[in-house]
Amino acid sequence: MNINDIINSIYKLPSTSLDTLTHLISEVKYPKHFHLFRENRKESKSYFLKKGIVRAYAHKDDKEVTFWLGQEGDFIFPLQTLFVGLGEYANVELLENCILYEIDLERLQNLYLNDIHIANWGRKYAEYACIKSEKLFISRQFKTSLERYQELINEYPDITQRVQLGTIASYLGISQVNLSRIRAQIR
């Protein structure tokens, strides 16, 4: 995905603001299993995902619990670091070899202060992230595991070819055995 398309999918920027923002972005490549963010560490970069798939996970009772998946076009943002200056509460791991667009957080913060359009773009992204988090929370609270799986497949049609089933089960909050039963039920 083109960086201009990713940025404008969040909030369409005037060309001068878009040029200012993209001037500070560089393309980087990292291998599968590379960690962009680590728990309890303050981060200095944000990323837009050009190609690949990632997950956010945390540790609970000696298990890894996946609670977010990102794919092409998604923004990978260290919210704890950016908004409250704390270390991150989760790890972000690449599940495939990835191509990303990288931007320094300090530079991005300066753009928020100096360009109202970029500040509004950041606010729109924060609103989008809040709504997505709320939908995920509601889904976990009120939907069956079958309904959650069907939602996941609708959002990520090729996820079962790209992500291990154990990671998908963790994301859905179910066991891998339960996931296998759900998949057999759908076929």
Side-chain angles (χ1 to χ4, degrees), residues 101-113:
Y101 298 108
E102 178 182 86
I103 186 167
D104 180 82
L105 285 177
E106 189 174 324
R107 292 176 131 187
L108 182 59
Q109 287 282 39
N110 286 334
L111 290 179
Y112 288 164
L113 295 173

Side-chain angles (χ1 to χ4, degrees), residues 53 69 71 95-96 149 152-165 168 171:
I53 194 161
L69 295 168
Q71 64 182 348
L95 299 178
E96 298 177 335
Y149 179 74
L152 179 67
I153 296 302
N154 287 337
E155 187 173 352
Y156 302 94
D158 61 349
I159 194 151
T160 58
Q161 288 80 44
R162 298 175 76 183
V163 177
Q164 292 180 345
L165 292 180
I168 293 171
Y171 174 77

Side-chain angles (χ1 to χ4, degrees), residues 27-186:
E27 189 174 293
V28 295
K29 295 177 183 181
Y30 293 113
K32 182 177 182 175
H33 300 303
F34 181 82
H35 281 78
L36 295 175
F37 305 151
R38 292 278 189 179
E39 283 179 274
N40 302 315
R41 205 168 78 187
K42 288 185 182 181
E43 300 297 340
S44 62
K45 308 283 185 199
S46 278
Y47 301 90
F48 302 89
L49 192 53
K50 179 178 182 178
K51 183 175 181 339
I53 194 161
V54 302
R55 73 174 178 138
Y57 71 94
H59 292 94
K60 181 171 176 18
D61 302 329
D62 295 326
K63 285 187 193 175
E64 291 181 355
V65 178
T66 299
F67 60 86
W68 179 79
L69 295 168
Q71 64 182 348
E72 289 83 2
D74 282 338
F75 194 23
I76 306 161
F77 212 87
L79 296 174
Q80 286 268 115
T81 298
L82 185 64
F83 294 127
V84 290
L86 299 174
E88 291 305 302
Y89 55 86
N91 301 288
V92 175
E93 177 189 24
L94 307 183
L95 299 178
E96 298 177 335
N97 294 332
C98 290
I99 303 171
L100 304 115
Y101 298 108
E102 178 182 86
I103 186 167
D104 180 82
L105 285 177
E106 189 174 324
R107 292 176 131 187
L108 182 59
Q109 287 282 39
N110 286 334
L111 290 179
Y112 288 164
L113 295 173
N114 295 308
D115 186 315
I116 189 66
H117 301 292
I118 295 173
N120 281 332
W121 172 86
R123 178 184 53 81
K124 287 304 248 182
Y125 175 76
E127 290 170 0
Y128 165 79
C130 285
I131 290 168
K132 191 170 181 174
S133 294
E134 184 178 66
K135 284 181 180 179
L136 181 60
F137 174 76
I138 290 169
S139 174
R140 287 267 170 96
Q141 296 298 312
F142 299 109
K143 295 190 177 179
T144 67
S145 52
L146 173 61
E147 291 170 326
R148 291 193 310 270
Y149 179 74
Q150 289 172 323
E151 273 184 357
L152 179 67
I153 296 302
N154 287 337
E155 187 173 352
Y156 302 94
D158 61 349
I159 194 151
T160 58
Q161 288 80 44
R162 298 175 76 183
V163 177
Q164 292 180 345
L165 292 180
T167 300
I168 293 171
S170 173
Y171 174 77
L172 294 171
I174 60 177
S175 71
Q176 198 165 340
V177 171
N178 193 10
L179 177 59
S180 294
R181 287 185 188 128
I182 290 168
R183 293 183 70 212
Q185 194 178 355
I186 291 174

